[in-house]
Amino acid sequence: MSQSVHSSGEHQPDENRRDFLTLATTAVGVVGAGCALLPFVDSMNPSKDVLALASVEVNLSNIPVGQAVKVMWRGKPVFIRHRTEREINEANEVALNELVDPQSDDARVEKKEWLIVVGVCTHLGCIPMGTATGEARGDYDGWYCPCHGSHYDTSGRIRRGPAPKNLEVPTYTFLTDTSVRIG
Amino acid sequence: MSAPQWNNKVVKWVDDRLPVISMLHHSAYEYPTPKNLSYMWNFGSLAGFVLVTMILSGIFLVMNYTPHTSMAFESVERIMRDVNYGWLIRYIHMNGASMFFIVVFLHMFRGLYYGSYKAPREMLWWIGILILLAMMATAFMGYVLPWGQMSFWGATVITNLFSAFPIIGDPLVTWLWGGFSVDNPTLNRFFSLHYLMPFIILGLVVLHVWALHSVRSNNPTGVEIKTPQDSIPFHPYYTIKDLFGMGVFLIFFCGFVFFAPDYLGHPDNYIPANPLVTPPHIVPEWYFLPFYAILRSIDFTIFGIPAKLLGVLAMFASIVILFVIPWLDTSKVRSSKFRPVYKWFFWLFVVDTFILGYCGAKAPDDYFMGVPGLKVIVMGQLSTLYYFAHFLVVMPLVGKMERPKPLPASISESVLKEGANA
């Protein structure tokens, strides 16, 4: 008996229910499509074989004091500088408030004679000069980026030019006194 | 404008089932075109021609190209030396990119001068900007493929731009690279996307032409078609005019391909990519120089936003601002022919883009044109300022203040008057 009364009386709630179902179905569809997209987006992130090459061991015994080397790590150069007493003092003498990206030298090295930094300018990714003997080292005795003129000091900190940050310090561990693992 | 009657039975059979022949007939044959179009209206069809040339030459290059860091450079050299006519196909593709930008920049300046972006052509203008953006992405990724020094370092510098964004910057760059530096995964995805993008451009071009044919072409007077006397059918009048222009353009194009194929490129790209040595002077291809100059000219901080991020934002803004000019331009008159004040600002803007291009090519600390005391960076900053001021200040103000010359009553009247004066 109540069939007709029921349907006419609850006409409004019925429509709301339909709207709800449409919205819910659409939402599930959108979330589903998003989930389906995720593997494709993530496939563009570094793959396992790229990640597997993420550490490198370096023998330090053949780097004399005052010299530096470039080693490849994750496709980019890492600068390892065997710093002289003068270079270490220079890095420590700067007042922190003079720095663009304030960081003390102690916070950037594990052993003070070894400075290890990623050799990529923090501006737009060029390789700064100053590692090989005789190259221009900029106004602060560290590195100089020829692309847009950034000067880095003997702690790899940005001192002048467009780069916003200090040269990045990679994670590394000294395995022995003369060997280090980067990454 | 009614559907044409086809006499050929096969044509009629096909067209009754899929009216593709009628559609082509409407859009490439009887399309009513303003009868006063100048040669500045040739560049649209020329751009379409270059797009097809690029797709075809690209398909043949891919038959011999190897997208791997250890072989990409050599496979391109093999195309140049060993593949039959490989040198020709590559030089067509290489110079074709430059030709594409020359033609599209002229097409855009035409649109700016004659107010082709104003109602009802805003969508047409927008799709055009999307085509420009897609072209820029395509050209950038294509330049990386030969894996020379400029390929590698251009890719490094440009992808590093995205690291300027706070928080998401670094993960975003790693994601773009598929590693921790520009390397084989980067080369592979750029190759894949470089092959995809032209077809996206092709789709956008279809929308562009569709939008054009529904609002009709603008013309040098900027006055709409009002009566049938104002228009002529596209064929044969403009097919022949476009073909003639194409002949002249091909002489120019072939001049580069055969006599100066490397003139527009950078010699450093004939050195294989070396991730350990940055070339002393990195410059983008000429068509990116004005935008590069805008990027570099921001070397100061505003409201604590670092210079690097500001520069990137300014560079993107220099194109995004084009989307809103239909509303920034307050003048009721389309064509600069009838705008005695704005006309001069238009030409100032053209000169400004050339100055930006010059600044983009030079080192920031050089002197501008050798003028002592005037650094390139300062000149770049001034011309960046004018670039934005042109859209944000000149367009709204001049549109309100200038008194335009009287417009002709119709296209037809203006043609007859010019004929009488001649």
Side-chain angles (χ1 to χ4, degrees):
Chain A
M1 69 132 214
S2 61
Q3 199 65 30
S4 62
V5 178
H6 191 254
S7 64
S8 65
E10 293 192 8
H11 188 67
Q12 198 58 33
D14 235 20
E15 237 171 41
N16 284 343
R17 189 183 301 166
R18 182 164 295 177
D19 285 350
F20 171 76
L21 283 172
T22 311
L23 278 173
T25 314
T26 313
V28 169
V30 168
V31 170
C35 290
L37 197 66
L38 208 64
F40 292 93
V41 172
D42 196 37
S43 77
M44 290 175 71
N45 270 319
S47 57
K48 291 192 185 67
D49 63 320
V50 170
L51 292 172
L53 296 173
S55 76
V56 60
E57 277 178 35
V58 185
N59 178 9
L60 301 175
S61 60
N62 45 17
I63 311 171
V65 177
Q67 288 200 9
V69 296
K70 264 186 219 178
V71 296
M72 282 293 268
W73 173 63
R74 306 206 301 198
K76 46 190 165 190
V78 167
F79 297 153
I80 304 179
R81 168 160 283 166
H82 199 167
R83 298 194 292 183
T84 62
E85 207 54 46
R86 199 175 65 91
E87 286 167 346
I88 297 167
N89 290 338
E90 257 180 76
N92 280 311
E93 277 162 8
V94 196
L96 285 189
N97 57 16
E98 275 178 39
L99 297 171
V100 181
D101 179 12
Q103 222 180 0
S104 72
D105 187 54
D106 291 340
R108 295 177 52 78
V109 291
E110 211 158 284
K111 298 183 180 211
K112 60 185 172 49
E113 63 270 34
W114 294 106
L115 174 67
I116 303 180
V117 288
V118 175
V120 173
C121 182
T122 56
H123 182 225
L124 292 173
C126 298
I127 311 282
M129 301 194 300
T131 304
T133 322
E135 274 181 358
R137 289 170 63 163
D139 294 350
Y140 298 89
D141 277 343
W143 286 274
Y144 170 71
C145 182
C147 287
H148 305 95
S150 294
H151 298 258
Y152 295 91
D153 67 10
T154 55
S155 188
R157 291 172 298 199
I158 178 66
R159 298 298 289 275
R160 209 176 73 218
K165 283 185 267 179
N166 300 332
L167 291 179
E168 188 196 335
V169 178
T171 30
Y172 60 87
T173 12
F174 279 93
L175 303 171
T176 66
D177 270 356
T178 56
S179 129
V180 68
R181 188 179 62 218
I182 301 168
Chain B
M1 279 295 290
S2 58
Q5 286 303 308
W6 302 110
N7 293 327
N8 184 307
K9 277 193 180 133
V10 178
V11 170
K12 189 176 177 341
W13 188 91
V14 170
D15 205 61
D16 285 346
R17 281 149 186 83
L18 177 69
V20 64
I21 299 164
S22 291
M23 194 197 77
L24 288 175
H25 184 83
H26 279 311
S27 54
Y29 195 100
E30 62 180 20
Y31 170 60
T33 319
K35 62 180 176 185
N36 59 340
L37 296 189
S38 68
Y39 277 109
M40 284 312 290
W41 266 259
N42 275 52
F43 296 102
S45 71
L46 279 182
F49 169 76
V50 180
L51 176 63
V52 172
T53 308
M54 293 303 277
I55 290 178
L56 290 178
S57 55
I59 286 170
F60 283 89
L61 285 176
V62 169
M63 294 178 190
N64 286 292
Y65 171 76
T66 312
H68 190 277
T69 51
S70 65
M71 289 164 79
F73 187 87
E74 279 171 42
S75 72
V76 172
E77 285 310 297
R78 191 182 145 265
I79 290 171
M80 294 301 290
R81 293 157 198 236
D82 295 343
V83 175
N84 298 330
Y85 292 106
W87 59 271
L88 177 63
I89 299 169
R90 173 160 181 261
Y91 278 155
I92 287 172
H93 200 73
M94 221 171 102
N95 288 284
S98 286
M99 295 305 128
F100 208 168
F101 279 98
I102 290 175
V103 164
V104 163
F105 286 154
L106 285 169
H107 189 65
M108 293 178 73
F109 278 131
R110 192 283 318 270
L112 280 173
Y113 185 84
Y114 292 108
S116 303
Y117 47 85
K118 294 190 197 186
R121 298 188 177 81
E122 300 95 325
M123 290 281 285
L124 177 61
W125 175 252
W126 284 353
I127 297 164
I129 302 166
L130 292 179
I131 292 173
L132 176 71
L133 288 170
M135 277 172 62
M136 292 174 122
T138 313
F140 163 64
M141 290 190 286
Y143 192 62
V144 175
L145 303 183
W147 210 243
Q149 273 291 65
M150 279 294 158
S151 301
F152 183 87
W153 291 101
T156 299
V157 168
I158 300 300
T159 49
N160 261 306
L161 292 179
F162 292 92
S163 72
F165 293 106
I167 305 162
I168 56 156
D170 287 325
L172 180 63
V173 172
T174 304
W175 179 73
L176 287 173
W177 286 339
F180 304 102
S181 59
V182 173
D183 209 330
N184 200 47
T186 326
L187 177 62
N188 273 278
R189 64 191 55 186
F190 278 16
F191 177 58
S192 164
L193 296 173
H194 182 72
Y195 207 122
L196 165 73
M197 292 299 288
F199 297 97
I200 290 180
I201 296 178
L202 198 63
L204 288 168
V205 167
V206 169
L207 291 179
H208 196 62
V209 173
W210 187 3
L212 172 74
H213 286 229
S214 74
V215 295
R216 300 265 183 265
S217 307
N218 190 19
N219 67 83
T221 65
V223 176
E224 296 287 342
I225 297 174
K226 288 171 186 159
T227 58
Q229 277 79 42
D230 290 340
S231 73
I232 44 179
F234 190 79
H235 181 77
Y237 298 104
Y238 286 110
T239 42
I240 201 69
K241 189 166 183 164
D242 279 353
L243 270 176
F244 175 73
M246 197 173 291
V248 175
F249 168 73
L250 275 172
I251 293 173
F252 179 72
F253 188 174
C254 291
F256 277 102
V257 169
F258 291 102
F259 297 102
D262 288 310
Y263 180 75
L264 296 167
H266 197 293
D268 274 22
N269 220 28
Y270 285 101
I271 302 169
N274 181 354
L276 290 179
V277 180
T278 309
H281 190 45
I282 299 180
V283 278
E285 292 288 86
W286 70 267
Y287 37 82
F288 290 139
L289 289 174
F291 307 102
Y292 191 60
I294 291 175
L295 166 80
R296 275 199 323 196
S297 71
I298 314 286
D299 64 348
F300 44 83
T301 303
I302 304 177
F303 303 130
I305 305 170
K308 182 171 154 186
L309 179 57
L310 272 183
V312 172
L313 293 177
M315 187 181 68
F316 288 129
S318 68
I319 294 180
V320 171
I321 199 168
L322 297 174
F323 281 102
V324 290
I325 62 167
W327 296 274
L328 290 174
D329 187 344
T330 51
S331 176
K332 299 258 186 299
V333 175
R334 285 200 190 90
S335 172
S336 294
K337 220 172 154 179
F338 304 103
R339 301 187 58 189
V341 180
Y342 180 75
K343 182 192 267 182
W344 293 103
F345 283 105
F346 169 82
W347 288 110
L348 185 59
F349 177 76
V350 174
V351 171
D352 187 65
T353 58
F354 276 89
I355 294 176
L356 279 171
Y358 175 88
C359 292
K362 298 286 169 189
D365 286 336
D366 285 353
Y367 291 110
F368 182 79
M369 306 274 198
V371 179
L374 184 57
K375 289 259 177 87
V376 160
I377 177 91
V378 176
M379 203 57 201
Q381 284 164 343
L382 292 174
S383 27
T384 299
L385 187 68
Y386 183 73
Y387 183 96
F388 286 104
H390 180 85
F391 296 120
L392 295 171
V393 181
V394 173
M395 273 193 168
L397 288 186
V398 172
K400 282 228 164 26
M401 285 152 55
E402 140 195 86
R403 177 189 296 224
K405 290 188 201 162
L407 294 177
S410 69
I411 295 172
S412 192
E413 189 206 83
S414 116
V415 172
L416 291 175
K417 213 170 82 189
E418 271 176 36
N421 290 343

